[in-house]
């Protein structure tokens, strides 16, 4: 069962802000101002079952490879316990960033789970996207990157 949330409720991303001032505008289509904000909004999307948002905020060249049914099952059958952002490595104007975080949830059998990850993000045409390390991006080194950045693959998502 997917929870519902009001704009005045605390945001599930644990930012300390209200949902309506934090992740809701991003879920409604606004661009994330940073990789960290995108990562927080993606965690929040898992807690709320917003799978279309998770797909849309993955690098476009990887979207067709996502296991949407598995994402939906994990989202709906987990009890989300919290998020801690350890670090966000973002340089002003840089097209790439990394965010290290810890996500906590409870599986349907009641067992508590913790996942620590350093995620990669790409800025493509003024929007941040998650780069899934488990999904392929196929292109020749000197071909245009399939993510749509306009750069060569070797200078973009192949890095």
């Amino acid at each position: 069962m997917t929870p519902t949330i009001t704009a005045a409720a605390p945001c599930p991303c644990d930012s300390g802000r209200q949902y309506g001032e934090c992740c809701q505008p991003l879920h409604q289509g606004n661009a994330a101002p940073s990789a960290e904000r995108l990562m927080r909004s993606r965690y929040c999307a898992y807690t709320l079952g917003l799978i279309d948002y998770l797909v849309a905020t993955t690098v476009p060249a990887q979207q067709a490879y996502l296991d949407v049914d598995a994402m939906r099952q994990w989202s709906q059958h987990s009890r989300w316990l919290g998020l801690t952002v350890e670090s966000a490595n973002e340089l002003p104007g840089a097209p790439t960033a990394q965010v290290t975080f810890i996500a906590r949830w409870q599986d349907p059998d009641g067992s508590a789970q913790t996942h620590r990850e350093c995620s990669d993000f790409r800025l493509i045409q003024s929007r941040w996207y998650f780069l899934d390390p488990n999904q392929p991006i196929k292109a020749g080194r000197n071909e245009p990157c399939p993510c749509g950045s306009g750069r060569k693959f070797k200078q973009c998502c192949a890095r």
Side-chain angles (χ1 to χ4, degrees):
M1 183 165 123
T2 304
T4 57
I5 185 170
T6 66
C11 194
C13 80
D14 288 335
S15 65
R17 299 166 58 195
Q18 293 178 332
Y19 176 62
E21 298 171 350
C22 190
C23 292
Q24 186 179 36
L26 306 183
H27 293 160
Q28 294 173 337
N30 292 341
S34 68
E36 179 182 349
R37 287 287 305 280
L38 179 63
M39 190 282 307
R40 286 182 175 282
S41 72
R42 287 176 56 85
Y43 173 85
C44 185
Y46 269 112
T47 73
L48 299 174
L50 303 176
I51 306 308
D52 290 343
Y53 179 79
L54 294 166
V55 172
T57 57
T58 300
V59 167
Q62 293 182 320
Q63 292 175 3
Y65 300 104
L66 296 174
D67 187 342
V68 175
D69 289 333
M71 293 165 68
R72 184 172 287 109
Q73 289 295 317
W74 188 42
S75 171
Q76 292 174 348
H77 293 39
S78 298
R79 181 173 167 252
W80 298 93
L81 303 175
L83 174 71
T84 302
V85 174
E86 292 184 339
S87 66
N89 296 318
E90 302 182 62
L91 297 174
T96 62
Q98 290 186 318
V99 179
T100 303
F101 65 92
I102 299 171
R104 296 175 304 285
W105 71 95
Q106 187 176 48
D107 284 336
D109 66 4
S111 61
Q113 303 295 324
T114 300
H115 175 75
R116 182 177 186 271
E117 181 176 318
C118 179
S119 292
D120 290 319
F121 295 86
R122 297 286 186 268
L123 186 62
I124 302 168
Q125 298 175 354
S126 302
R127 292 189 84 87
W128 284 103
Y129 291 91
F130 169 66
L131 180 62
D132 189 336
N134 300 312
Q135 300 300 327
I137 295 182
K138 298 181 180 180
R141 288 179 43 80
N142 290 315
E143 293 178 21
C145 190
C147 77
S149 69
R151 293 177 293 175
K152 289 183 180 182
F153 181 60
K154 70 182 177 184
Q155 297 297 323
C156 191
C157 291
R159 295 168 82 188

